[in-house]
Amino acid sequence: MSSEPSYSEFKPLLAQSVGYGVVVGVGFFFAGVMFILTTLQRKFFEFSPASSEEFTPGLICCGIVSAWTWSATLLQSSTVAYTFGVSGPWWYGVGGTIQVAMFGMVASKVKQNANGAHTFLEIVKTRFGTSAHILFTFYGFLCILLVCGSLLLGGSATVNALTGMNITAACFLLPIGIAVYVIFGGLRATFICDWSHTIILFIIIYIFTFRAYGTSPAIGSVSRLYDLLEQASIVTPVVGNQGGSYLTMKSDQGLVFGAITILSGFTGVFCDQGYWQRAIASHPESTTKAYMLGGISWFAVPWAFASCLGLSARALITNASPPNFPTYPSPLSPSQISAGLAAPAAAAVLMGKGGAITVLLVVFMAVTSAASAELIGVSSLFIYRTYFRPNATGDEIVRVSHYFICFWAVWMGCWATILNAVHIDLGWVNYLGYRGCILSPAVIPIGLTVSWSKLTKAGVFCGAIGGACFGMLAWMIGCWKIYGQINISNLAQPYSALCSSLAGLFFSGILTVGVSLLNPADYDFSGTRAIATLEDTIGSDISGVDTSYRASDTESQNEKRDEKQSSLKQPVSNIVEVGLENDDEQRLRSLKTVFRKAFIYSSILTLIVVILVPLPLFFSHYVFSKKFYTFWTACSIIWAFASGSFCIVFPLWESRNEIGTILGSAYRSIRK
């Protein structure tokens, strides 16, 4: 008769005061730093967030990496490394990288067909009207809500495990400092925050890399880690892996996880206003470059971080000397694994209390950076002027947006507390069963709205709503047939999530395209291209307001569209008209070239990371030799250093003149 395995409590290494100090103290410290930097920039350098010229490719790249590095990126990628072996970090990276690369194509289409838009909802409303706008407003808010839940669940669980801080307190206190600097700095503060947080992120990745592979008495070398993982494969073999090994890409569970991550990852990019905001903020000619660098750079974060800490956690459960694994002599329990505690456990063994503080800091950085992007995104989605006060002034819009950011920061804490109370943790959120069936049906309609002239309103509604229904149905039936009963635990199982994601995305695409082709439209995008012109008619009272606070398309503007467009068609002179037409034609040709480049790049990247590298290793059933594992680890380290250069050095080089101007002006001001 088999007995249930016994598990130990995760022993906190730090005092509760440390948790409160990091969450509150460091949060407000960064808020103060951001406030000082943005004040200097505002005082000594003319800055217009409405202008895409201000945001360079390097800064956009850094913003993408920062916004896409959630707490789940660090914690759950380490969990899948701990659970599946070397395949886990690779597939986690693939599941976020190719979406960013493919969004580069959508970003180029935004510049081509709606260059003046501030949100994707503005484009939807202009093209399809109020009903479609309401539908995708729901999707936009739901996506941000789910992302915020993921961020706070992962962050609060880590703070609780390492310090014993109350989870509910962490859920409510984490967003406060974020809301402060978002309100003071707006979009400008978010980009500065992205860069500073990304510096800390990569420095900490480098620290753990050198510690695990170089100086740690517990491991100290790649060769030693390989030996420990071979031993772990004998003691606790992985079901579905070749020979039970952690050192193989032949992992059935890893492959399924990769498919889920790829499918559901599209929702985290295409439905998130934060990514549209970066596409809108970038210069048209540099959009593809920014997303290319962003996708490549982000891949290194889960691959390098999880390959180091996730695999170290598996190797050190019973092999650390002295035995200081937080749950020694037991492995991590299923609930601890699902909460994402593999990385904190490894850090505690490798660096003691210093490792615990370091993980606490990097997870805090991930939460604050990504959450700041979500707060900016949610403020830009707020429909105050669209439906409540069409004639609201710029100052009123900014004030109400600030109120809404405060409200959302509190609601984030409430939402995460609710999820925790019903025992939904980071692991459940990460498998994205509900995002697969609810949000993935919106991906194709949103992408086609800015790129396909034949798309119809009926196709949009059928694809988005019908796909959600099919995804939900597949989720429930798949869970029932495969696992025997429908409950919270089984709904987060890999095959349940795979059924929902596949069905939601597939049927959404079929319905969207099929229904549209029954009675295709012939949209020329003149309405969406006129959005910039329409914004200019609002008045000087909102000039200078951050893009994030400029409301989306209003009904009163829609009523004026025909009149405005007709007035634009009245030539001032033949020379001016010909000149404008030539400029527009040249710009469209240039953007079409950008789109082709984005298509070629995303296709090549997808081919390499999805097919050429992992699939031959999977189908050959190859178990890594020590030499190949050393090569694999070296590649992850080199990739991490290259990514750090893109995100840290490149933005500094691009902005060297502006930095010099600000520092020089500040110095002269002090000398006076």
Side-chain angles (χ1 to χ4, degrees):
M1 182 177 178
S2 62
S3 60
E4 289 291 326
S6 61
Y7 297 105
S8 303
E9 182 182 356
F10 196 104
K11 298 181 285 290
L13 295 178
L14 306 170
Q16 283 193 31
S17 58
V18 177
Y20 283 98
V22 169
V23 171
V24 179
V26 177
F28 277 95
F29 169 77
F30 269 94
V33 171
M34 293 304 109
F35 177 73
I36 293 171
L37 291 176
T38 53
T39 300
L40 289 172
Q41 192 177 45
R42 188 182 293 114
K43 182 176 181 180
F44 298 117
F45 186 75
E46 184 178 351
F47 185 93
S48 174
S51 171
S52 62
E53 301 286 348
E54 304 291 350
F55 298 107
T56 61
L59 200 57
I60 298 293
C61 163
C62 185
I64 291 168
V65 172
S66 181
W68 206 207
T69 302
W70 305 350
S71 53
T73 304
L74 305 173
L75 300 176
Q76 208 61 30
S77 63
S78 298
T79 295
V80 293
Y82 176 90
T83 307
F84 308 141
V86 294
S87 66
W90 180 270
W91 286 120
Y92 197 103
V94 170
T97 296
I98 63 173
Q99 290 88 343
V100 173
M102 291 182 180
F103 192 77
M105 295 189 292
V106 177
S108 66
K109 282 295 184 181
V110 170
K111 292 299 182 182
Q112 180 178 333
N113 295 326
N115 191 37
H118 306 112
T119 68
F120 74 91
L121 295 179
E122 190 175 5
I123 303 170
V124 170
K125 191 173 191 297
T126 300
R127 182 168 179 180
F128 295 118
T130 299
S131 57
H133 182 262
I134 293 174
L135 173 65
F136 285 104
T137 297
F138 165 77
Y139 277 117
F141 277 107
L142 182 61
C143 179
I144 291 176
L145 183 65
L146 299 179
V147 172
C148 290
S150 171
L151 294 172
L152 292 184
L153 283 175
S156 61
T158 301
V159 174
N160 171 261
L162 293 175
T163 70
M165 180 182 178
N166 182 271
I167 289 182
T168 302
C171 287
F172 279 98
L173 291 175
L174 277 168
I176 291 179
I178 308 169
V180 171
Y181 69 71
V182 167
I183 289 174
F184 278 112
L187 188 62
R188 182 189 297 110
T190 299
F191 276 99
I192 297 174
C193 164
D194 289 341
W195 183 76
S196 60
H197 285 190
T198 303
I199 291 177
I200 296 173
L201 169 67
F202 278 104
I203 288 175
I204 290 176
I205 290 176
Y206 301 152
I207 289 173
F208 281 125
T209 298
F210 289 127
R211 180 64 174 171
Y213 301 138
T215 63
S216 170
I219 300 177
S221 69
V222 177
S223 175
R224 170 64 175 159
L225 181 57
Y226 179 90
D227 293 337
L228 292 175
L229 289 173
E230 278 198 320
Q231 183 178 343
S233 301
I234 297 172
V235 176
T236 54
V238 187
V239 177
N241 280 26
Q242 181 67 28
S245 176
Y246 292 92
L247 297 161
T248 179
M249 290 295 289
K250 171 54 178 74
S251 172
D252 296 341
Q253 295 184 76
L255 187 65
V256 171
F257 172 79
I260 297 168
T261 308
I262 291 170
L263 291 169
S264 59
F266 280 103
T267 66
V269 176
F270 281 71
C271 297
D272 192 336
Q273 169 58 21
Y275 286 91
W276 291 85
Q277 217 149 282
R278 283 164 173 76
I280 290 164
S282 62
H283 188 276
E285 303 302 326
S286 63
T287 299
T288 300
K289 182 179 181 180
Y291 277 85
M292 175 186 69
L293 293 177
I296 291 175
S297 299
W298 182 85
F299 186 88
V301 176
W303 189 27
F305 186 88
S307 293
C308 176
L309 289 188
L311 294 177
S312 294
R314 173 56 69 181
L316 294 172
I317 292 175
T318 57
N319 293 292
S321 180
N324 53 359
F325 196 81
T327 60
Y328 181 86
S330 305
L332 295 172
S333 69
S335 62
Q336 291 164 347
I337 294 172
S338 189
L341 299 184
V349 177
L350 292 173
M351 296 175 60
K353 289 186 176 181
I357 293 174
T358 305
V359 165
L360 191 62
L361 182 61
V362 75
V363 170
F364 176 79
M365 293 292 99
V367 172
T368 55
S369 184
S372 67
E374 297 306 313
L375 286 175
I376 287 289
V378 80
S379 72
S380 66
L381 293 184
F382 188 43
I383 55 176
Y384 178 71
R385 194 176 71 188
T386 308
Y387 295 115
F388 297 101
R389 282 181 59 85
N391 297 320
T393 64
D395 290 339
E396 184 179 356
I397 293 168
V398 171
R399 185 173 61 256
V400 173
S401 295
H402 288 172
Y403 294 154
F404 191 70
I405 288 173
C406 294
F407 161 77
W408 195 265
V410 174
W411 170 236
M412 283 170 62
C414 295
W415 172 243
T417 302
I418 292 170
L419 293 176
N420 181 67
V422 296
H423 306 293
I424 291 178
D425 56 21
L426 183 62
W428 202 93
V429 174
N430 186 69
Y431 267 118
L432 308 172
Y434 51 88
R435 282 180 64 180
C437 68
I438 296 176
L439 289 181
S440 64
V443 170
I444 293 176
I446 289 174
L448 293 181
T449 295
V450 296
S451 58
W452 192 36
S453 62
K454 298 184 184 300
L455 182 66
T456 63
K457 186 175 181 179
V460 165
F461 272 86
C462 289
I465 298 176
C469 292
F470 279 110
M472 183 71 73
L473 195 63
W475 191 24
M476 299 298 171
I477 293 176
C479 178
W480 175 42
K481 291 294 185 181
I482 297 171
Y483 299 104
Q485 60 178 335
I486 299 174
N487 55 39
I488 290 179
S489 177
N490 288 341
L491 286 172
Q493 293 299 317
Y495 289 102
S496 299
L498 183 61
C499 290
S500 69
S501 299
L502 273 174
L505 196 63
F506 176 77
F507 282 105
S508 170
I510 293 295
L511 290 172
T512 301
V513 175
V515 172
S516 295
L517 290 177
L518 292 177
N519 185 23
D522 188 20
Y523 190 68
D524 61 1
F525 293 100
S526 60
T528 56
R529 288 171 183 164
I531 291 175
T533 305
L534 293 170
E535 279 293 335
D536 292 339
T537 68
I538 297 175
S540 60
D541 58 338
I542 64 170
S543 61
V545 177
D546 275 8
T547 303
S548 55
Y549 301 130
R550 299 176 74 176
S552 60
D553 196 17
T554 68
E555 293 183 16
S556 60
Q557 293 168 2
N558 285 332
E559 293 171 359
K560 298 177 182 178
R561 180 180 296 115
D562 293 337
E563 177 183 349
K564 182 66 181 177
Q565 287 177 348
S566 62
S567 67
L568 287 173
K569 293 177 182 177
Q570 302 298 324
V572 177
S573 69
N574 290 335
I575 296 176
V576 173
E577 182 177 340
V578 171
L580 290 174
E581 288 178 356
N582 289 338
D583 289 343
D584 287 341
E585 290 177 2
Q586 183 176 358
R587 186 180 69 86
L588 289 177
R589 283 197 300 269
S590 175
L591 289 172
K592 287 178 180 178
T593 301
V594 169
F595 177 80
R596 286 194 294 270
K597 289 180 179 178
F599 175 77
I600 293 171
Y601 155 70
S602 60
S603 299
I604 293 174
L605 182 63
T606 301
L607 180 67
I608 293 173
V609 300
V610 178
I611 297 175
L612 294 183
V613 173
L615 293 189
L617 292 172
F618 179 89
F619 289 112
S620 66
H621 295 200
Y622 177 63
V623 177
F624 290 8
S625 65
K626 186 173 288 188
K627 287 185 177 180
F628 188 82
Y629 178 66
T630 302
F631 168 75
W632 183 267
T633 303
C635 288
S636 71
I637 296 172
I638 293 170
W639 201 316
F641 273 95
S643 299
S645 300
F646 290 148
C647 295
I648 298 171
V649 180
F650 194 33
L652 284 177
W653 175 254
E654 290 177 322
S655 303
R656 61 192 182 279
N657 294 329
E658 291 82 357
I659 293 172
T661 300
I662 293 171
L663 293 178
S665 300
Y667 177 75
R668 287 190 295 271
S669 177
I670 294 172
R671 289 290 301 273
K672 289 181 180 179

